[in-house]
Amino acid sequence: MESHSPPHQTDTELLHALKAKQAGALGILYDRYGQVVYGIALKVLQNQQEAEDLTQEIFLGLWCNATINPNHSHFLRYLIVMTRSRAIDKIRSRSRILKLLNRFGQTVTAETPSPTPVEQALLTERSLAVRSALTQLPDKQRQVIEMAYDAGLSQSEIAQQLDTPLGTVKTWTRQGLLKLKQILLDAID
């Protein structure tokens, strides 16, 4: 079995190969259409990192789901519509989150008095417990969590700064958060 399909294959042939989980087919489709997908995502999202993430999501979705009909005669049109729709969904989601944060921020500033000394002491104690738990994490997991929460960096920005694949950063973050949760739960018991 060949690991890479010849680049002169038609989209239909590549989609059949993709359904058969031939990784080379995905590579050829990405080489063929990755810039188009990225360009559309960037035009709609107006954010390079989000456009890169969406491009990765689109092609990862092709690999994981492979639900598109291999006999689909307009694969490029399908990719364009999919990319545009997903980008618009991201913008809508971003808008909802901003509205929610604005509403929450107004509510908090309008209704939340400054913490009492007891509340402040509890917050300080919790903060120290989290900082202590962070020291128990492996270095890479602790580093990505601190970069995300202390520096406010996105996972894409962290991956870029650490010169590490985005998937690795996501894995370290998830594993670190799960381990952190367990450490904190154990401390409560």
Side-chain angles (χ1 to χ4, degrees):
M1 184 171 101
E2 289 181 33
S3 62
H4 288 285
S5 303
H8 62 274
Q9 284 185 296
T10 66
D11 290 347
T12 301
E13 292 169 328
L14 290 169
L15 290 171
H16 279 291
L18 192 62
K19 267 191 161 319
K21 294 297 183 191
Q22 294 177 10
L26 182 64
I28 293 170
L29 287 170
Y30 182 83
D31 291 343
R32 198 174 281 177
Y33 299 116
Q35 286 299 321
V36 173
V37 169
Y38 173 77
I40 293 166
L42 183 60
K43 185 173 181 166
V44 174
L45 295 170
Q46 298 291 312
N47 180 298
Q48 182 182 353
Q49 294 298 324
E50 287 182 341
E52 289 172 4
D53 289 348
L54 181 59
T55 301
Q56 182 181 9
E57 288 173 25
I58 294 290
F59 283 94
L60 184 61
L62 286 175
W63 176 256
C64 293
N65 297 330
T67 56
I68 185 169
N69 179 358
N71 300 318
H72 197 281
S73 61
H74 302 290
F75 179 65
L76 178 58
R77 188 179 305 157
Y78 168 83
L79 280 177
I80 291 169
V81 169
M82 168 81 75
T83 303
R84 187 174 177 278
S85 295
R86 299 275 302 275
I88 290 170
D89 287 346
K90 286 188 178 292
I91 289 173
R92 287 179 182 148
S93 176
R94 188 189 316 154
S95 175
R96 282 191 299 269
I97 290 169
L98 287 174
K99 285 179 184 174
L100 181 64
L101 288 174
N102 283 338
R103 249 185 285 139
F104 180 74
Q106 291 169 352
T107 303
V108 168
T109 55
E111 297 176 11
T112 307
S114 56
T116 65
V118 171
E119 291 170 336
Q120 187 61 47
L122 286 172
L123 289 173
T124 302
E125 184 180 330
R126 285 182 190 153
S127 178
L128 290 172
V130 170
R131 287 289 167 195
S132 172
L134 276 170
T135 63
Q136 298 176 46
L137 296 179
D139 290 341
K140 292 296 184 184
Q141 293 174 6
R142 184 184 72 249
Q143 184 181 19
V144 295
I145 290 172
E146 287 175 341
M147 290 174 82
Y149 290 96
D150 293 345
L153 299 177
S154 70
Q155 289 181 325
S156 296
E157 291 167 332
I158 294 169
Q160 192 173 25
Q161 282 195 10
L162 296 178
D163 194 27
T164 304
L166 179 61
T168 303
V169 169
K170 288 181 178 186
T171 299
W172 288 343
T173 303
R174 177 163 170 67
Q175 289 173 343
L177 289 172
L178 289 172
K179 193 171 287 188
L180 188 63
K181 176 182 175 184
Q182 191 57 53
I183 292 168
L184 291 169
L185 286 174
D186 290 346
I188 293 171
D189 292 339

